[in-house]
Amino acid sequence: MNRVYLDNAATTPLREEVIAAMVEVMKVHYGNPSSTYSIGQEAKAIIEENRRKVAQYLQVSPAEIIFTSCGTEANNMIIKSCVNNLGIERIITSPLEHKCVAETSFEMKHTRGVELVYLKPNQKGDLDLNQLESLLQNSKKKTLVTLMHANNEIANLLDIEKVATLCKQYQALYHSDTVQTVGHLPLDFSRIKLDFASCSAHKFHGPKGAGFAFVRKFSGIKGLIVGGAQERGLRAGTENVSGIVGLGKALELAVEHMQENTHYMEDIKAYAVEQLSQKLPGVIFNGRSAERGNSLYTLLSVLLPFKNPLIGFQLDMRGIAVSQGSACSSGAAKPSMVMLSILTDDQLENTTPLRLSFSHMTTKQDIDRLVETLLEIKEMDIEKMNV
Ligand code: PLP
């Protein structure tokens, strides 16, 4: 059976060029980057070359890039150190954040007594920046704002430049989880004055186990993991050289093909919206995800007009991988915080969320297979109800 993969926001397949670059490093440049002899120093030079690549993409200094094992680690490191080392007393966030930001912030409230304040999204998943400004205006507490760039469930984009400007105006620190946008959108942090950001290589056809934290110079952030001087003392432990090379290669290719891939995926998404709307009357698209130019082009959040908590499983049985758009680590489809925040009680009761996410490898035939299979499953459900 030909597989259809529509869960690229969860992870992406590696590009061949990335695999080749990583294999070369594993075979040839196996030295420990902390060793002073030449094979070690070669590995060190390779890391620095890739740090420069990342820094160039973000328009920042290479010293501001700290390689980590993943986006989760980068987000943990930044938020925890803001509280533990920079005296943050209040975190302003939203219920739309990824679990690794949400749970880290929650932990800071419970273990460190930090005040935790949530912005309230509307039914489209938009955040009110006037609410943010009034919160920033009306407290003297040292504040960290943590609001993601693109939402991983509904594709809403936040104007991070505006948020960064507001934070600067009121002397708050700003961290943005940019895991879904690094490698997909141009990002210029010489213009966008945020303090911290995060990245995960496996979201743009790089390897799992490699990511980075962007940490603005002189921020005073300390590492989570101690016991070595690697990454300027901010991330102890022998570096994942092949992973860093994979990240660098994947980013290089992502940047090179960004324009064509953006247009390609925008068309795929528009086709999915058209087909689903035509063949499944009553379908709804969550947040801003169906709005071209107003959402991250890689992702479409669908609300199927019928209830079927097993839909992900049933699609999988027919060779189609999608996410149910809900945080269901246990396998039980429970609505995520994002869905709980934007859907009505009636929608939560009678509909089924489905997250489709695309890559340059997705085809219109994949969308056709998905739509046909959804119709088949819906027909089966109706037949069962009539028995
Ligand atoms: N932040 C967002 C928005 C994500 O979508 C993800 C992964 O799904 C993460 C953070 C975590 O990244 P990683 O898988 O590298 O830990």
Side-chain angles (χ1 to χ4, degrees), residues 88-358:
I88 288 297
E89 303 161 292
R90 179 175 70 149
I91 296 176
I92 300 177
T93 185
S94 89
L96 307 177
E97 299 302 307
H98 186 270
K99 251 184 159 189
C100 65
V101 167
E103 290 190 8
T104 307
S105 302
F106 199 66
E107 190 183 311
M108 292 298 97
K109 172 180 157 130
H110 284 278
T111 60
R112 307 281 305 170
V114 167
E115 185 191 353
L116 194 52
V117 186
Y118 293 93
L119 299 184
K120 192 173 162 32
N122 65 15
Q123 287 212 324
K124 276 283 175 194
D126 300 320
L127 297 174
D128 179 359
L129 295 190
N130 292 326
Q131 189 195 357
L132 174 63
E133 181 161 15
S134 87
L135 283 166
L136 289 171
Q137 240 166 9
N138 293 322
S139 169
K140 297 236 168 324
K141 283 190 177 173
K142 202 163 176 199
T143 299
L144 169 71
V145 173
T146 174
L147 295 171
M148 71 205 310
H149 189 193
N151 186 273
N152 54 301
E153 285 189 52
I154 54 173
N156 282 28
L157 285 166
L158 181 69
D159 184 345
I160 54 172
E161 189 167 358
K162 204 160 172 183
V163 175
T165 306
L166 272 178
C167 288
K168 278 278 154 299
Q169 190 181 339
Y170 295 100
Q171 288 94 44
L173 292 175
Y174 180 34
H175 160 241
S176 184
D177 175 346
T178 48
V179 164
Q180 291 291 343
T181 48
V182 172
H184 296 291
L185 295 178
L187 287 173
D188 178 354
F189 292 167
S190 68
R191 193 168 48 79
I192 303 168
K193 299 288 183 196
L194 46 64
D195 298 282
F196 312 108
S198 50
C199 159
S200 178
H202 72 99
K203 306 293 185 185
F204 49 93
H205 306 279
K208 292 164 189 66
F212 66 79
F214 161 71
V215 174
R216 185 78 71 187
K217 227 184 245 173
F218 311 122
S219 67
I221 280 280
K222 299 256 187 302
L224 261 188
I225 301 171
V226 294
Q230 292 91 348
E231 298 296 306
R232 295 177 173 76
L234 286 181
R235 210 282 180 175
T238 301
E239 299 90 333
N240 173 8
V241 187
S242 60
I244 291 170
V245 166
L247 184 156
K249 189 73 194 171
L251 188 61
E252 180 189 313
L253 292 165
V255 171
E256 190 183 323
H257 297 288
M258 195 176 281
Q259 230 181 359
E260 74 207 60
N261 284 343
T262 304
H263 291 314
Y264 180 77
M265 279 180 256
E266 275 175 349
D267 282 350
I268 291 279
K269 177 147 104 170
Y271 183 71
V273 169
E274 178 201 290
Q275 290 301 304
L276 286 162
S277 305
Q278 270 177 20
K279 310 234 164 91
L280 274 170
V283 74
I284 286 175
F285 302 102
N286 298 311
R288 301 269 168 212
S289 73
E291 297 176 22
R292 197 178 183 130
N294 213 6
S295 62
L296 186 64
Y297 57 87
T298 54
L299 199 155
L300 179 64
S301 177
V302 182
L303 205 58
L304 298 172
F306 54 87
K307 186 80 177 168
N308 182 344
L310 295 177
I311 197 96
F313 176 69
Q314 290 170 325
L315 287 168
D316 185 36
M317 297 283 287
R318 292 162 175 80
I320 301 176
V322 293
S323 157
Q324 278 188 259
S326 47
C328 51
S329 41
S330 64
K334 229 172 57 188
S336 67
M337 274 302 287
V338 176
M339 292 302 152
L340 286 171
S341 304
I342 64 165
L343 299 184
T344 62
D345 288 347
D346 182 49
Q347 285 173 325
L348 287 166
E349 193 60 37
N350 298 309
T351 62
T352 310
L354 208 61
R355 180 183 76 174
L356 313 180
S357 47
F358 318 113

